Amino acid sequence: MAKLYVDSNVFFYAKIMDRVFGKSCSQILRGIASDNLQASTSVLVPIEVANALRKYGLAKDVAEEVRAIFSLGLEVYSLDPTDAREAAEIYAETGISPYDCVHAAVMKKNGLSEIISADKEFEKIPWIKRLDPRLMSEHGSLSET
C-alpha cells in the first residue's frame, strides 16, 4: 500500500472519541503506531488539532496531543512558501478550505494521492482519493488490535 496522508480530523476524532468516527480513527492511529499503515502528514496538522481541541474546550490537552502525534513515527512534512502558492491555485480551482488546499499542495509536492479524512471536500480535487476512516476499518484495510 502506498503512503497515505492523514488529515487532522483523524487525530481530533480519535482524541474526542467522536460517536461517528472515533473508533475507526483510533484504529487508524493504532495501525500507524504499530507500522501496519504507512502514513504521513504535515506540520499544519498538529496546529489544526491543537486549535480544534482549544475550541472544543480541551485546551489543557493540547501539548500532550501534539506530543502524541509526533510520537507515532509518521513522516511529518514541513511547509514552505511554494506550498502556499500551490494551495492558492488549488483554492482558485476548487473553493474548498484554504487549510485543505495546503494539505493538497503538500500531498502533490510529495507525490501522494490518497488522504485519510472524514472531510468530503477533498473529493473536489480530482487527483486526490479520499479514504473514509470508517470504510478503512470496515473493509479490513486495518486489522483489529
Side-chain angles (χ1 to χ4, degrees):
M1 177 181 264
K3 187 181 288 186
L4 305 172
Y5 189 91
V6 184
D7 192 13
S8 57
N9 57 50
V10 173
F11 300 97
F12 180 70
Y13 289 152
K15 173 67 177 174
I16 67 166
M17 279 313 289
D18 178 78
R19 65 179 179 81
V20 175
F21 292 100
K23 183 178 177 185
S24 56
C25 289
S26 292
Q27 190 175 352
I28 289 164
L29 297 183
R30 284 192 303 273
I32 294 168
S34 64
D35 286 332
N36 291 329
L37 189 61
Q38 294 301 308
S40 63
T41 197
S42 78
V43 72
L44 180 57
V45 164
I47 296 165
E48 284 187 304
V49 172
N51 195 47
L53 289 171
R54 180 187 61 84
K55 287 181 176 180
Y56 195 75
L58 295 173
K60 65 180 179 23
D61 294 345
V62 165
E64 178 185 337
E65 186 63 18
V66 170
R67 283 192 297 270
I69 291 169
F70 283 102
S71 76
L72 288 172
L74 71 169
E75 185 167 3
V76 180
Y77 298 113
S78 60
L79 301 177
D80 64 47
T82 61
D83 298 322
R85 287 189 206 99
E86 180 62 27
E89 296 302 319
I90 294 169
Y91 179 79
E93 294 167 12
T94 64
I96 67 172
S97 160
Y99 294 101
D100 291 346
C101 293
V102 171
H103 294 304
V106 171
M107 289 175 65
K108 187 175 189 178
K109 179 173 73 176
N110 290 286
L112 304 173
S113 61
E114 295 181 315
I115 185 169
I116 305 171
S117 179
D119 187 348
K120 292 182 180 183
E121 290 288 287
F122 284 105
E123 295 172 6
K124 294 180 180 177
I125 302 172
W127 51 270
I128 289 181
K129 179 180 179 182
R130 181 184 73 89
L131 304 171
D132 187 299
R134 297 168 300 180
L135 298 179
M136 288 188 69
S137 54
E138 287 174 12
H139 294 301
S141 296
L142 296 170
S143 59
E144 288 289 336
T145 54

